[in-house]
Amino acid sequence: MTSDTQHVVNDHDRTWPIKPMENLAIKLSDVERSRLARVARNVGSRHSERPSGYHLDDSELMLDCNIAMHREAPARLVRALLEFRHQSTAEGALLIRNLPIDEELPPSPKTGNYDESWRDVEIASIVQLMVMNILGDVISYADEKQGRIIQDVVPIAGSEDKQENSGTCLLELHTEDGFHPAKPRFISLLGIRADHDRKAWTLACGIRESLAGLEGGVRATLAMPIFRIRLSSSFVGKANVFSAPMAVLRGSLSDPELCVDFHAMTALTSDGERALIRLRHALLLNLNGHVLEPGDLLIVDNEKAVHGRTNFTARADGTDRWLRRCFAIPDLRGSTESRIPQSRVYVPIRAVEDHVLAPSGSDYAGQISVGASR
């Protein structure tokens, strides 16, 4: 598929329109924006000696972010986040505009991670953590972006055609880390810089919006554990590793949870393959999109929506598109054995002979296998 400004075109020249998310956005006033910036600076100053990168993995920092958000952030913003946490939306996404970020920004990183001091992007970092701590408990994965709590999403030269966050080609609709036994419930993408041509539309499609386009028999097939997702190279390198068989739809078939990846998922039966085609068609009829400008934060409910991105062109000049990504789950307590001790970072997935296991904990056992997908 290829993309243009407000529509996506498939290989058969069919056009799929993108509905602008801006019509659904919560936009902070300039007064609210300034107030939230002051709150973020105050939190940041209390943690000014904290090292960068994965060292933002700290419960005291998260508590400060949570308390500050509840006490001092605009009440309508906190309310919207709590409603989204408990009820989601038909689109499975929430867009917040005019959030404060740092006035003087460093160059966009060229290697996939911003390796300088986190205080160079202090306001952006704290604001994103404050928002995510209302939605749940912030987490990350040791296999991905070195386990950083806030990750950088930037184009990397040589990765243009990769179906990963480092590419610039059209990124297929997918559940974030859908192969992982502990995939995130919420994803946030904060705009630091937009692409030069404003062609990189971040897309989201909700299963609630799309469910009417699926017949009962298709829904029943998608609820069967006959699908597998190939693990991302950031987790397993070049190894050909697939998840154990899983269902695409879980829970109530009238309001299901969704887990799918249209680039990396395969079906184990012909009925499953046809059902995936029908699902993709239904989702594409309900594309919602937005070009993330500085201060725009898109939150995706990873169990109710898939997301992707249209293609764009990078210049590799330090001013390329730059987003910052952060994950959250509803409750941290149930995953103690699967995380690094005293950390919010999940232990690596490691290939061991004919299966993949975490060094400890039962969350991963029997969930992932190495070899052919069928």
Side-chain angles (χ1 to χ4, degrees):
M1 295 199 308
T2 60
S3 68
D4 203 344
T5 306
Q6 295 187 32
H7 65 270
V8 175
V9 182
N10 68 10
D11 294 335
H12 302 289
D13 292 328
R14 175 158 185 179
T15 298
W16 308 90
I18 302 171
K19 295 179 290 184
M21 284 188 203
E22 186 170 2
N23 298 333
L24 306 171
I26 296 170
K27 185 174 182 179
L28 299 189
S29 68
D30 290 342
V31 171
E32 290 173 323
R33 183 180 187 274
S34 297
R35 175 182 171 186
L36 201 57
R38 288 195 299 271
V39 175
R41 283 194 201 95
N42 290 338
V43 173
S45 67
R46 294 197 293 271
H47 296 269
S48 60
E49 301 304 317
R50 191 170 304 286
S52 291
Y54 62 88
H55 294 290
L56 292 179
D57 172 25
D58 183 86
S59 291
E60 184 178 340
L61 171 60
M62 300 302 169
L63 283 173
D64 280 352
C65 287
N66 195 316
I67 293 169
M69 192 70 169
H70 276 290
R71 289 181 175 175
E72 303 179 72
R76 70 186 185 102
L77 174 59
V78 175
R79 182 182 182 89
L81 291 168
L82 289 172
E83 288 178 347
F84 186 70
R85 173 178 179 171
H86 295 298
Q87 302 173 20
S88 194
T89 61
E91 300 83 11
L94 176 66
L95 177 62
I96 304 169
R97 305 208 65 193
N98 203 33
L99 285 168
I101 63 170
D102 306 79
E103 293 183 5
E104 295 185 12
L105 293 170
S108 301
K110 297 181 180 180
T111 59
N113 292 319
Y114 184 69
D115 291 323
E116 304 304 320
S117 171
W118 73 274
R119 298 206 72 193
D120 294 342
V121 283
E122 176 185 60
I123 294 176
S125 299
I126 297 299
V127 165
Q128 191 165 16
L129 289 177
M130 288 196 300
V131 167
M132 294 305 285
N133 272 279
I134 297 297
L135 293 171
D137 294 325
V138 174
I139 56 111
S140 66
Y141 305 96
D143 290 305
E144 193 169 45
K145 301 283 188 178
Q146 301 176 349
R148 294 168 189 246
I149 290 296
I150 299 178
Q151 301 122 41
D152 299 290
V153 176
V154 290
I156 299 177
S159 299
E160 289 81 2
D161 296 328
K162 287 188 177 181
Q163 280 290 314
E164 296 181 1
N165 64 74
S166 58
T168 58
C169 63
L170 187 140
L171 185 63
E172 266 285 11
L173 299 174
H174 64 284
T175 298
E176 187 71 23
D177 296 336
F179 53 81
H180 203 288
K183 68 180 183 294
R185 171 65 184 277
F186 297 106
I187 311 156
S188 67
L189 295 168
L190 176 61
I192 303 298
R193 283 195 179 93
D195 66 297
H196 297 92
D197 303 316
R198 299 320 195 254
K199 288 190 174 182
W201 285 68
T202 301
L203 307 172
C205 308
I207 187 60
R208 287 174 174 169
E209 277 194 311
S210 308
L211 196 61
L214 299 175
E215 299 171 356
V218 174
R219 297 186 201 182
T221 299
L222 292 170
M224 299 172 63
I226 55 172
F227 305 92
R228 284 182 162 181
I229 299 178
R230 185 175 64 253
L231 272 66
S232 169
S233 63
S234 60
F235 282 78
V236 293
K238 296 182 180 179
N240 199 29
V241 184
F242 292 81
S243 70
M246 64 170 63
V248 169
L249 299 182
R250 292 191 301 114
S252 169
L253 290 186
S254 63
D255 189 14
E257 296 174 355
L258 172 68
C259 183
V260 70
D261 187 320
F262 292 108
H263 172 72
M265 177 172 271
T266 58
L268 301 178
T269 69
S270 57
D271 283 347
E273 291 175 349
R274 287 190 290 270
L276 280 180
I277 293 172
R278 295 295 298 275
L279 174 63
R280 185 168 181 268
H281 181 276
L283 289 167
L284 285 170
L285 287 172
N286 292 284
L287 285 173
N288 302 282
H290 185 72
V291 176
L292 291 171
E293 297 283 352
D296 288 347
L297 180 73
L298 177 65
I299 303 167
V300 178
D301 184 334
N302 203 37
E303 292 186 344
K304 293 295 184 183
V306 289
H307 66 287
R309 186 210 60 239
T310 59
N311 58 289
F312 67 101
T313 301
R315 299 181 182 178
D317 61 356
T319 63
D320 275 324
R321 180 178 186 261
W322 182 8
L323 308 182
R324 306 205 83 204
R325 183 178 66 183
C326 189
F327 302 140
I329 58 174
D331 190 349
L332 198 64
R333 292 176 301 173
S335 59
T336 303
E337 291 186 347
S338 301
R339 288 181 284 108
I340 296 169
Q342 307 300 315
S343 171
R344 292 166 179 261
V345 181
Y346 277 82
V347 295
I349 290 178
R350 299 191 305 181
V352 183
E353 297 180 352
D354 63 345
H355 58 285
V356 177
L357 298 173
S360 64
S362 60
D363 283 3
Y364 301 102
Q367 303 257 342
I368 304 170
S369 62
V370 177
S373 63
R374 297 178 182 272

